[in-house]
Amino acid sequence: MAYKKLSWVQQKWPGTLGYEPAHHHMQAVDYSEIKTLKVGDRVASAFSTSCGQCYYCKHALTCRCESGARFGWIVGGKGIEGSQAEYVRVPMADSTLIPTPASVTDKEALLVGDVLPTGWFCASRGEVDRVAKDYPDDITSAAVIGCGPVGLMAILAAQAQGAQQVFALDTVQERLDLAKEFGAVPINGADRENALKVIKEGTEGRGVDCALEAVGAQPTIKLAFDIIRMGGVISSVGLHTDDEFKAFTPAEGYNKNVTYKNGRCPARHYMDELMSLVGKKYWGDPFPGNKIFSHEVSLHDEEAVQNAYVMFEKKLDNCTKVLIVP
């Protein structure tokens, strides 16, 4: 379950919901164009389709595929039905789906299709690995702002890419508890001044090398700007809906030599590498990311699914992520 707002669900949504297809057992309707998969294969999907051949797919930007579309996102009558259903239609299956090895569980396959690559993308765009390699004698630091599912995966990604010190900022205690389990320093972001104080004290007064923003809101981007050092990088993967940018001015960015990056994750581009890492137990067995699933409901229990949306939006019952199973 990836939708943040129950209001989206309460509207007359023009199609089937479901942004994150976990895995499927292949059943082909039109098999003539499918060359790399066969009926019965266990497969995983990114949250959008991609052709693998256009300019953007070849330049590691599968999320902007010229022929692609997002699951569960229909605008103006165009789009693809979502994955919260018994069957899912997957155009361009050869280039959208990847095989899921037996060493990867269903839960792990779901994470590999969305929140794990998004967290990995966030850390990569934050240049965590470059800073760690360029300055091996320094302690590479990162701060994750927003410890929902993507932010929690960004913690694991930042550590894997070389961050030796990761701060985790959120206002929800159960998320901070998970961040601590993942090895980050938890900070309650509700107390902004204390958050700045803790990070400054932990980085010899400079601020972090990389701020990984997983909310997509002006206040959290402003916080990211405030906690990075001179020459730091802000990597934002939260879904932005504002028409104007007010977090910091061009002059403020210039005076701090800040680099700011944002955008949708090209999940399919990262899936092969991450599926391999999870399958080879790079992070351990079981994958620690499985802990973000706090609740599980059946697709066939309509009332339970509706209640799960309410619980997720309002952060009830220590809910961090809901797994809807067929």
Side-chain angles (χ1 to χ4, degrees), residues 216-218 239-247:
Q218 301 281 355
L239 177 61
H240 295 263
T241 57
D242 293 328
D243 293 328
E244 298 180 358
F245 189 84
K246 301 177 181 178

Side-chain angles (χ1 to χ4, degrees), residues 203 219 256 278 286:
T203 57
K256 201 170 184 177
V278 172

Side-chain angles (χ1 to χ4, degrees), residues 81-267:
E81 299 286 352
S83 62
Q84 290 175 16
E86 291 84 354
Y87 296 94
V88 182
R89 183 176 69 90
V90 184
M92 300 180 287
D94 262 348
S95 49
T96 297
L97 303 176
I98 67 170
T100 301
S103 58
V104 175
T105 68
D106 293 351
K107 287 182 179 180
E108 292 163 351
L110 174 64
L111 297 175
V112 168
D114 182 12
V115 294
L116 180 57
T118 304
W120 190 271
F121 171 70
C122 188
S124 177
R125 297 257 287 180
E127 302 183 22
V128 174
D129 55 345
R130 179 192 62 79
V131 174
K133 292 174 182 177
D134 288 353
Y135 307 101
D137 295 331
D138 294 346
I139 296 176
T140 302
S141 59
V144 174
I145 303 171
C147 295
V150 169
L152 290 168
M153 295 302 100
I155 293 172
L156 298 178
Q159 293 166 338
Q161 293 178 31
Q164 298 147 293
Q165 183 181 48
V166 180
F167 300 94
L169 291 82
D170 205 289
T171 60
V172 180
Q173 190 57 49
E174 53 266 26
R175 293 179 172 184
L176 292 172
D177 291 342
L178 279 173
K180 185 177 181 180
E181 279 192 55
F182 290 176
V185 177
I187 303 173
N188 192 322
D191 188 343
R192 185 185 185 89
E193 294 305 314
N194 181 65
L196 292 172
K197 180 175 180 289
V198 171
I199 289 174
K200 291 287 188 179
E201 289 179 350
T203 57
E204 299 180 336
R206 289 186 299 273
V208 293
D209 299 307
C210 320
L212 311 180
E213 195 272 343
V215 180
Q218 301 281 355
T220 48
I221 298 171
K222 177 62 166 66
L223 179 58
F225 179 81
D226 290 341
I227 63 176
I228 58 170
R229 63 166 170 80
M230 298 288 185
V233 180
I234 300 172
S235 174
S236 176
V237 294
L239 177 61
H240 295 263
T241 57
D242 293 328
D243 293 328
E244 298 180 358
F245 189 84
K246 301 177 181 178
F248 58 89
T249 68
E252 289 171 328
Y254 177 89
N255 289 333
K256 201 170 184 177
N257 280 68
V258 69
T259 299
Y260 174 74
K261 305 176 184 180
N262 73 342
R264 186 187 303 160
C265 168

Side-chain angles (χ1 to χ4, degrees), residues 65-81:
C65 173
E66 294 171 1
S67 304
R70 285 175 287 171
F71 289 100
W73 198 270
I74 300 175
V75 178
K78 296 181 179 180
I80 308 175
E81 299 286 352

Side-chain angles (χ1 to χ4, degrees), residues 23-58:
H23 79 277
H24 322 280
H25 291 280
M26 278 288 295
Q27 297 187 43
V29 176
D30 179 6
Y31 204 64
S32 61
E33 299 298 321
I34 300 176
K35 307 300 181 184
T36 63
L37 303 168
K38 63 181 184 299
V39 173
D41 280 353
R42 184 167 169 257
V43 293
S45 176
F47 53 76
S48 61
T49 61
S50 53
C51 70
Q53 298 299 319
C54 71
Y55 176 90
Y56 295 107
C57 284
K58 290 181 177 180

